[in-house]
Amino acid sequence: MQWFGKGSNNVEDGRSGGGGKTVLGGGIGIIIVVLGLIFGKDLTGVVSQIPATTGTEEVKQGVPANDPQARFVSGVLESTEQVWDKEFQAMGKQYEYPKLRLFRNAVQTACGNASANVGPFYCPGDRKVYIDLSFYDELKNRFGAAGDFAQAYVIAHEVGHHVQNLLGISEKLDQARGQVSEKEYNRLSVKLELQADFFAGLWAHNAQNLKDFKLDEGDIEEALTAANAIGDDKLQKQATGDVQPDSFTHGTSAQRMYWFKKGFETGDIKQGDTFNSNNL
């Protein structure tokens, strides 16, 4: 993909302070390793259990001009702002831009403290997307999902969680926590994640119409490769040699690819109601 804009004004760079090291232990450490494999998890109630980081995080507004990867992230975020501006206007609503915080090693959030091992995530408490850019190396080297559009898909997915937060969708899932069985809650969690994949596809569809955005040949395949690589079934198979559908939280590889592709092909937010769809 190619982006010719100036980049978003809503990127915060907290990498210089480093955020300290997070000490992981026991069950929480295991949870975080699993979440690191499947980015996008709603971390409310999970990261808050991690021991506090050490050190002071210095946060700067914007990104350095000589940092092409950070500038790329800023450009992708700007394109999501433009797409969702129009989508919310069509719904008669005002889109509130999320902040995107770049961090290194660990970070303090309104949802608690998080290690880079968590992977990219969205915190509804402060309406920020968090990402340690080293995740992109893991995405390429560990999951075989290389390419700039695979990286853009990660950001668009997390912004999709912000959209769900603004529309009150995430709140409904939070209300179900503790009121339904673990199996049913996991099923609802899968639907939430697949909708975020749909929203990422919708962003890609509508971004094509932006004057500062251009898709390159093979971009959509890069996103689909990333979606395929991080399906619950594939990750569980790689980690344990077994697949346990009742413990899925993000959906299978096929489901994640299906909903991203549907969002890209339709560009119609009305087609993204994963909660009432039987095609899961």
Side-chain angles (χ1 to χ4, degrees):
M1 60 166 285
Q2 298 178 50
W3 179 249
F4 310 103
K6 296 180 179 179
S8 172
N9 295 320
N10 294 298
V11 177
E12 300 173 346
D13 192 351
R15 294 173 295 174
S16 60
K21 294 285 188 179
T22 296
V23 180
L24 302 178
I28 296 302
I30 296 173
I31 290 173
I32 294 305
V33 170
V34 173
L35 295 185
L37 295 177
I38 45 178
F39 72 81
K41 181 69 175 177
D42 177 2
L43 300 177
T44 305
V46 176
V47 295
S48 59
Q49 302 176 53
I50 304 174
T53 57
T54 59
T56 301
E57 184 181 29
E58 179 185 352
V59 179
K60 299 178 181 178
Q61 196 71 25
V63 297
N66 61 348
D67 188 336
Q69 191 172 42
R71 289 185 61 80
F72 170 79
V73 169
S74 177
V76 173
L77 184 64
E78 183 182 23
S79 70
T80 66
E81 293 168 349
Q82 295 178 6
V83 166
W84 287 110
D85 255 343
K86 294 180 179 179
E87 287 295 316
F88 271 63
Q89 288 174 11
M91 293 185 285
K93 300 177 182 292
Q94 177 71 40
Y95 180 58
E96 300 175 29
Y97 295 172
K99 296 285 187 178
L100 188 151
R101 172 76 62 86
L102 300 174
F103 72 96
R104 184 176 289 120
N105 299 326
V107 66
Q108 296 178 331
T109 83
C111 298
N113 303 299
S115 161
N117 291 335
V118 173
F121 65 94
Y122 171 74
C123 173
D126 54 25
R127 297 186 174 184
K128 292 183 181 182
V129 172
Y130 291 86
I131 183 170
D132 184 322
L133 295 180
S134 65
F135 173 79
Y136 286 144
D137 293 330
E138 185 176 18
L139 189 65
K140 174 183 177 181
N141 299 325
R142 183 171 184 177
F143 299 116
D148 56 2
F149 204 76
Q151 298 176 10
Y153 158 65
V154 172
I155 298 170
H157 174 98
E158 298 308 332
V159 171
H161 284 306
H162 176 65
V163 172
Q164 290 171 323
N165 190 27
L166 295 180
L167 295 179
I169 300 171
S170 304
E171 183 180 3
K172 293 180 180 179
L173 182 64
D174 288 339
Q175 292 172 351
R177 193 189 301 268
Q179 298 181 8
V180 298
S181 67
E182 181 178 356
K183 179 179 178 180
E184 176 62 15
Y185 184 81
N186 285 345
R187 189 180 71 87
L188 294 173
S189 178
V190 166
K191 290 177 179 287
L192 189 78
E193 294 297 333
L194 293 178
Q195 187 179 61
D197 282 330
F198 173 88
F199 285 163
L202 182 149
W203 157 77
H205 173 95
N206 290 289
Q208 297 177 101
N209 299 320
L210 301 176
K211 64 182 180 67
D212 293 324
F213 185 94
K214 180 182 178 182
L215 281 177
D216 292 326
E217 184 178 355
D219 277 346
I220 299 305
E221 286 73 16
E222 289 178 4
L224 291 173
T225 297
N228 176 64
I230 54 178
D232 283 329
D233 54 340
K234 178 166 288 190
L235 292 173
Q236 287 185 357
K237 188 72 172 178
Q238 291 174 347
T240 67
D242 190 24
V243 176
Q244 300 177 347
D246 287 348
S247 65
F248 285 175
T249 57
H250 284 64
T252 66
S253 295
Q255 289 170 338
R256 301 199 71 165
M257 289 190 294
Y258 171 85
W259 283 101
F260 174 85
K261 193 173 181 180
K262 185 173 183 180
F264 177 71
E265 291 178 344
T266 67
D268 180 3
I269 195 170
K270 296 178 182 179
Q271 302 296 317
D273 185 3
T274 55
F275 292 90
N276 292 306
S277 174
N278 294 321
N279 195 356
L280 292 177

